[in-house]
Amino acid sequence: MIRTFQQHRLRQGQLLDGLWDFVFDKDNRGLAEGWQTKFPSSHDRVPVPACWNNELGKFDYEGVAWYRTWITLEESSHLRLLFHAVLGHADVYLDGNHLGYHYGGYTPFDFTVPNATAGVHELIVRTDSTLTLNTIPYHIVDWFHYGGIIRPVEVQLLSDVSIEAMRITYDMTGDSSADVRTTLTLRSLSDTPVEAPVTLYRNGEIFYSETVYLPAKESLELNVEQAWSGLKRWEQEDPELYMIRAVAGQDDLTDRIGFRTVETRNKKILLNGKELYLQGVNRHEEHPEWGFAFPNKLMTKDLDIILQMGCNTVRGSHYPQSEYWLDLLDEQGVIFWGEIPIWGAAFPAEHTDDPLFVQRALTMMDEMIKRDLHHPSILFWSVHNEIDTRSKQAYDLSVQLTELVRSKDQSRLVAYATMHPMTDICLGLFDVIGINYYGGWYFGHVEFEEMLVKFHERCKEYGAEHTPVLMTEFGGAGVYGDSGWEPRLFSEDYQAELLSKSLKLFRSDAKISGTYVWQFADTRADLQSRRPHFRDRARSFNNKGLVNEYRKPKLAYRVVKGIYKGQNDPYDWGSTL
Ligand code: ADA
């Protein structure tokens, strides 16, 4: 399932899950040799959705690969092909015709083929996972960048009138009342003008209906504005959700919303007017067996573990995570920080303004907001992580991205994570500042308090004295199972002690509104054979997880849980770390 609930009851559709024909195209020979030679009889088959790097013998391939499957139509129909996520570049062909191209990795894209004929159709996808200086992420990145069709592909049959999009926004006008705007984009694929009855439901009850007229092959926007009362807010302890369903002619679409406000005041983040203290972890949606094609069942387990340790928030490091995951967070009242994969610890400033890179960044941001707009759990849209925010290029990129976000969605806070708190020139551009700080791991620990005093001074200089600050990353590696009597680097003991000390420090600073431990689970690091970076990643993993890659708890998990749950830290660390 893509969501935890069904989005369509009338629209027919099917997931194209299963084994697809598959070939690598190492030398990028493309179409020149024709479709048949692309799939010689010896071609492989791989599962979709999946990452090819998880299959035997394909571990370290980065580059072009072709996928093929077949679609059978009983009768002529309007076809919609919906790709929920394909890593990197994707070109889609139906019966040899190029339907289009998408660049991205974690957001959906779709193509409509009106009047597709009855019979069997060949669907081919060319993907390219190559990372370069202007891809997002760019080629140096601290996670294993897989390749493949990582989320489901859906084939839907559209009726003559279909619902292309539904956008619901609101302004709270009181504790339990809101002005609600619902915008439906309807599309006609009919050769003649059509009329369609439209009905909107809230939790199964009609709140609007009208008959609309659509000229042949045109789209129409229907705007409904209403004042709603008797609403229950989405609160962390009681996350009330509302199902909104649109039916237009033979088509339907359901989504889910929650009513809440989020604002900042005097360095605090307020949810429904109440001050929040955030206790969280950074979570990659990654697993050694599935890569980024993360199964729903494991999402439930991840969330159980995260809730059990007393978290009320998760940072989706470093890319848009599955819609199913966001649904679970909505249902459990867990706050989410969403971001796009601009990961810049080593990204040279002079490439940050490459027009193609900027264009890709804006598109990714736009697509993420479009996809996730209705999730009440998302409070933060974060535009980049650890880029060189001392540079003019990063400043300009931040201006463009923050402007885009604010023009698309004003119901959330615009954020970023900086690794240059003492030299950052972008502090004044955001609603929330995240600091990534690896004291005690990459450098000494103790300067932090002094640094923070100076940092708060700098915030004043940049007009950010009231901007809330979150510790968005901190931690150290602890190899699962390596424990002993002393906190050696890379031992579970060292990691646990470092996190205990860091958390106590950050939690004692009233100007910090929350913490995200780096990280929830160990994740695969980039291939060292492919690129010479991250050679300190023992086992080729980023071992800073509180649990290992199979979700087994380390000492640090128990220590952070103790702190987040307000119990005393039972460990007498006794070292001078
Ligand atoms: C950075 C980065 C993370 C991870 C971390 C680390 O802050 O944002 O993705 O690489 O450092 O482990 O060093």
Side-chain angles (χ1 to χ4, degrees):
M1 267 178 93
I2 314 285
R3 309 290 302 265
T4 58
F5 55 90
Q6 234 181 314
Q7 286 211 280
H8 302 286
R9 279 187 262 156
L10 297 176
R11 186 184 296 184
Q12 288 177 43
Q14 172 199 340
L15 293 180
L16 297 178
D17 287 9
L19 291 174
W20 289 38
D21 299 336
F22 181 81
V23 280
F24 285 140
D25 187 2
K26 203 158 175 263
D27 306 318
N28 196 13
R29 289 153 88 167
L31 294 175
E33 295 174 19
W35 296 99
Q36 292 319 313
T37 50
K38 190 83 6 243
F39 291 100
S41 51
S42 63
H43 65 70
D44 259 338
R45 299 178 83 199
V46 297
V48 168
C51 302
W52 66 64
N53 311 77
N54 293 110
E55 306 310 316
L56 290 181
K58 300 183 177 59
F59 174 74
D60 61 351
Y61 182 78
E62 176 182 303
V64 179
W66 296 79
Y67 287 81
R68 177 176 64 176
T69 192
W70 307 92
I71 300 168
T72 305
L73 292 182
E74 298 300 328
E75 52 191 45
S76 166
S77 322
H78 307 309
L79 209 63
R80 179 173 184 242
L81 291 165
L82 173 56
F83 294 83
H84 285 277
V86 179
L87 285 173
H89 308 270
D91 281 281
V92 178
Y93 301 82
L94 190 71
D95 301 324
N97 300 314
H98 187 227
L99 295 184
Y101 164 79
H102 180 260
Y103 179 76
Y106 307 91
T107 41
F109 56 95
D110 68 316
F111 305 100
T112 300
V113 184
N115 303 309
T117 53
V120 179
H121 297 270
E122 180 192 50
L123 174 65
I124 291 189
V125 183
R126 174 190 187 272
T127 69
D128 184 355
S129 65
T130 310
L131 299 181
T132 58
L133 262 169
N134 56 20
T135 54
I136 299 180
Y138 94 120
H139 64 278
I140 300 172
V141 68
D142 185 16
W143 66 80
F144 190 92
H145 193 77
Y146 298 87
I149 302 178
I150 57 162
R151 293 186 189 144
V153 183
E154 236 181 308
V155 49
Q156 299 179 339
L157 304 184
L158 297 182
S159 47
D160 274 354
V161 173
S162 60
I163 304 169
E164 222 174 38
M166 174 164 67
R167 181 184 156 87
I168 306 151
T169 54
Y170 59 83
D171 290 315
M172 296 307 297
T173 49
D175 270 355
S176 57
S177 55
D179 286 337
V180 183
R181 294 168 295 276
T182 309
T183 305
L184 274 194
T185 311
L186 301 172
R187 177 185 184 188
S188 164
L189 292 168
S190 162
D191 296 326
T192 53
V194 271
E195 69 172 47
V198 175
T199 312
L200 298 174
Y201 300 83
R202 181 179 100 198
N203 287 350
E205 291 193 2
I206 297 179
F207 67 86
Y208 186 81
S209 64
E210 181 188 337
T211 298
V212 298
Y213 298 88
L214 282 121
K217 295 196 164 140
E218 284 203 14
S219 294
L220 175 144
E221 238 181 42
L222 178 69
N223 286 299
V224 179
E225 296 194 18
Q226 290 183 347
W228 289 5
S229 55
L231 300 169
K232 271 187 78 184
R233 293 204 182 202
W234 186 88
E235 302 278 5
Q236 286 191 280
E237 24 337 304
D238 188 9
E240 189 76 16
L241 294 164
Y242 291 84
M243 305 297 297
I244 309 294
R245 178 167 187 242
V247 178
Q250 305 301 309
D251 196 29
D252 71 336
L253 174 64
T254 300
D255 210 343
R256 203 168 58 175
I257 58 169
F259 291 93
R260 48 125 186 88
T261 57
V262 56
E263 66 205 295
T264 67
R265 199 176 308 142
N266 202 16
K267 281 209 160 320
K268 303 292 177 207
I269 300 168
L270 309 181
L271 175 65
N272 292 324
K274 286 171 279 183
E275 201 176 302
L276 276 180
Y277 189 80
L278 295 171
Q279 305 194 134
V281 284
N282 283 276
R283 171 185 179 263
H284 266 287
E285 196 162 273
E286 195 259 4
H287 184 280
E289 193 52 50
W290 286 279
F292 288 148
F294 206 88
N296 293 350
K297 183 233 167 265
L298 261 187
M299 294 188 209
T300 320
K301 179 96 174 242
D302 274 9
L303 187 54
D304 284 349
I305 299 171
I306 287 170
L307 285 173
Q308 184 179 287
M309 71 184 285
C311 289
N312 59 7
T313 184
V314 176
R315 175 174 177 221
S317 50
H318 288 295
Y319 37 76
Q321 306 204 335
S322 295
E323 292 179 81
Y324 193 89
W325 170 249
L326 298 177
D327 283 340
L328 295 177
L329 301 184
D330 290 342
E331 289 163 17
Q332 297 287 336
V334 179
I335 286 164
F336 189 69
W337 164 300
E339 68 186 42
I340 55 169
I342 299 186
W343 186 96
F347 191 23
E350 60 273 24
H351 291 283
T352 315
D353 61 358
D354 177 324
L356 185 56
F357 178 85
V358 174
Q359 190 45 52
R360 286 173 170 165
L362 292 167
T363 306
M364 279 188 177
M365 204 68 221
D366 186 33
E367 288 182 356
M368 176 171 75
I369 295 175
K370 218 174 263 158
R371 190 196 71 167
D372 296 339
L373 184 78
H374 295 144
H375 292 282
S377 55
I378 302 176
L379 294 201
F380 309 104
W381 291 132
S382 179
V383 301
H384 47 64
N385 175 66
E386 292 194 349
I387 62 171
D388 190 350
T389 41
R390 300 164 299 184
S391 70
K392 179 171 176 342
Q393 291 92 334
Y395 184 91
D396 292 345
L397 178 69
S398 305
V399 169
Q400 291 190 66
L401 284 166
T402 51
E403 278 176 0
L404 174 88
V405 175
R406 291 186 175 120
S407 73
K408 299 281 171 189
D409 179 18
Q410 285 168 10
S411 69
R412 294 184 172 89
L413 306 173
V414 192
Y416 77 125
T418 179
M419 66 181 288
H420 301 292
M422 302 311 291
T423 39
D424 192 309
I425 60 167
C426 301
L427 299 172
L429 298 174
F430 295 89
D431 301 322
V432 170
I433 299 167
I435 301 182
N436 294 356
Y437 178 81
Y438 283 91
W441 186 250
Y442 295 122
F443 49 90
H445 192 47
V446 274
E447 317 93 72
F448 184 76
E449 278 154 304
E450 201 186 316
M451 183 211 98
L452 213 59
V453 174
K454 288 195 194 136
F455 169 74
H456 292 312
E457 281 307 309
R458 293 195 74 245
C459 283
K460 278 191 203 150
E461 258 174 66
Y462 284 86
E465 65 267 42
H466 299 304
T467 308
V469 178
L470 297 170
M471 296 308 298
T472 32
E473 288 186 30
F474 53 97
V479 174
Y480 176 71
D482 183 0
S483 65
W485 293 110
E486 63 289 314
R488 286 168 292 100
L489 280 178
F490 286 97
S491 66
E492 284 198 26
D493 312 82
Y494 186 90
Q495 179 196 20
E497 179 171 355
L498 171 58
L499 284 174
S500 165
K501 293 197 166 160
S502 307
L503 276 172
K504 284 174 192 157
L505 195 63
F506 305 148
R507 287 163 75 89
S508 66
D509 186 324
K511 290 189 173 137
I512 292 177
S513 298
T515 53
Y516 290 88
V517 174
W518 185 268
Q519 59 176 335
F520 167 59
D522 289 349
T523 45
R524 284 244 296 257
D526 196 11
L527 257 191
Q528 291 165 9
S529 53
R530 191 156 70 199
R531 282 182 274 270
H533 308 278
F534 309 112
R535 295 204 71 89
D536 65 337
R537 299 296 189 248
R539 313 185 299 130
S540 297
F541 272 80
N542 184 316
N543 293 292
K544 300 188 187 76
L546 295 173
V547 298
N548 76 355
E549 63 274 24
Y550 297 106
R551 280 55 184 164
K552 302 223 183 282
K554 301 182 197 169
L555 179 58
Y557 173 82
R558 303 188 197 282
V559 167
V560 173
K561 176 179 173 184
I563 297 173
Y564 277 178
K565 295 208 114 177
Q567 296 146 3
N568 284 333
D569 180 354
Y571 298 91
D572 173 16
W573 298 105
S575 86
T576 51
L577 200 164

